[in-house]
Amino acid sequence: MDDVRAMHIANGIINGPVSAIFIVIAVAGLAICVSRAKVDLDDRLAPMAGLVAAFIFAVQMLNFQVLPGVSGHLLGGTLAVILVGPWVGALCVATVLLVQALVFADGGLTAIGLNITNMALIGTAAAYLLVALLLRVLPRTTTGLGATALIASIVGVVVASLGFVVEYALGGTTELSLGAIAGTMAGVHTLIGVGEGLIAATTVVTVAKVRPDLVYALRAFRRQPTVAKTGVTA
């Protein structure tokens, strides 16, 4: 088994066939993201995407061992979708994971599809769906935005961690029980999600106070003004 200090899922935790399947899933998902991101990217979003990717890389360096060969850490998916949107956000997270695996040997190369699927695709998608919902029901204030970031971070991190549970059920190679893995992953990542949520909330609220036009979610989910209907009587 690979060094248990490695970030993410290490080589050998999930068998080869399942790992290969998730490489295909990850490539297909990222191809869709690239296609959709071309619509969003502009002179305002491109520099922000670079900053978001750098920030995610930094926060993901803080990791905690959860199981042998598997570590938990901040993901940054919610922060990414709020600031740069779901498609560009997923690409930011995926880019960080690729750099960590190829340059810093953090996470197994054979598990790169698993890690990208969990963190860049599943976690980001879950966070985005919740952000889209909450910003339509919560007050459009910095407090509402901060609460959205906190809640979506917790849910996104836990959902991403449960992606590993599904993968382990399909092709796990250790003797650990599925129930123990599910409980450990959900419990630890709930705590990690709270920490990530506080960081994400602080960051997006700070940006929104200074440059609200740079917050993708505020632009994308702007409430449409209500137009009163007028009747004409003879």
Side-chain angles (χ1 to χ4, degrees):
M1 182 177 296
D2 287 0
D3 189 346
V4 296
R5 293 174 296 172
M7 275 189 190
H8 325 311
I9 303 171
N11 291 323
I13 303 300
I14 307 297
N15 65 34
V18 173
S19 297
I21 289 171
F22 278 93
I23 287 176
V24 174
I25 292 173
V27 170
L30 293 180
I32 294 172
C33 290
V34 169
S35 176
R36 299 296 296 269
K38 292 177 181 178
V39 178
D40 291 336
L41 278 175
D42 54 24
D43 293 340
R44 173 172 50 188
L45 198 61
M48 179 61 75
L51 292 174
V52 167
F55 186 83
I56 293 173
F57 180 85
V59 299
Q60 284 199 4
M61 298 304 290
L62 302 172
N63 65 105
F64 322 92
Q65 186 173 333
V66 179
L67 298 166
V70 181
S71 64
H73 54 76
L74 306 179
L75 302 188
T78 299
L79 175 70
V81 300
I82 290 177
L83 292 180
V84 297
W87 312 111
V88 178
L91 293 175
C92 287
V93 177
T95 299
V96 170
L97 296 175
L98 284 168
V99 171
Q100 289 173 340
L102 297 175
V103 179
F104 297 96
D106 288 333
L109 288 177
T110 61
I112 189 65
L114 302 165
N115 288 319
I116 288 178
T117 298
N118 294 342
M119 290 179 273
L121 300 181
I122 296 176
T124 300
Y128 179 74
L129 292 174
L130 200 51
V131 167
L133 171 65
L134 292 175
L135 285 182
R136 287 185 169 94
V137 299
L138 292 178
R140 299 302 298 273
T141 62
T142 53
T143 300
L145 182 63
T148 295
L150 175 61
I151 297 170
S153 292
I154 297 172
V155 174
V157 169
V158 172
V159 170
S161 73
L162 294 180
F164 168 75
V165 177
V166 174
E167 293 156 359
Y168 185 86
L170 294 174
T173 60
T174 73
E175 298 302 320
L176 296 173
S177 71
L178 188 63
I181 289 176
T184 300
M185 293 294 284
V188 172
H189 283 85
T190 297
L191 298 177
I192 292 174
V194 172
E196 173 165 333
L198 294 173
I199 294 173
T202 301
T203 304
V204 299
V205 166
T206 300
V207 174
K209 286 181 177 179
V210 179
R211 289 288 304 275
D213 60 301
L214 294 180
V215 180
Y216 176 95
L218 292 180
R219 303 194 307 272
F221 304 113
R222 185 183 297 112
R223 286 200 181 99
Q224 298 299 323
T226 301
V227 179
K229 294 183 177 180
T230 59
V232 179
T233 59

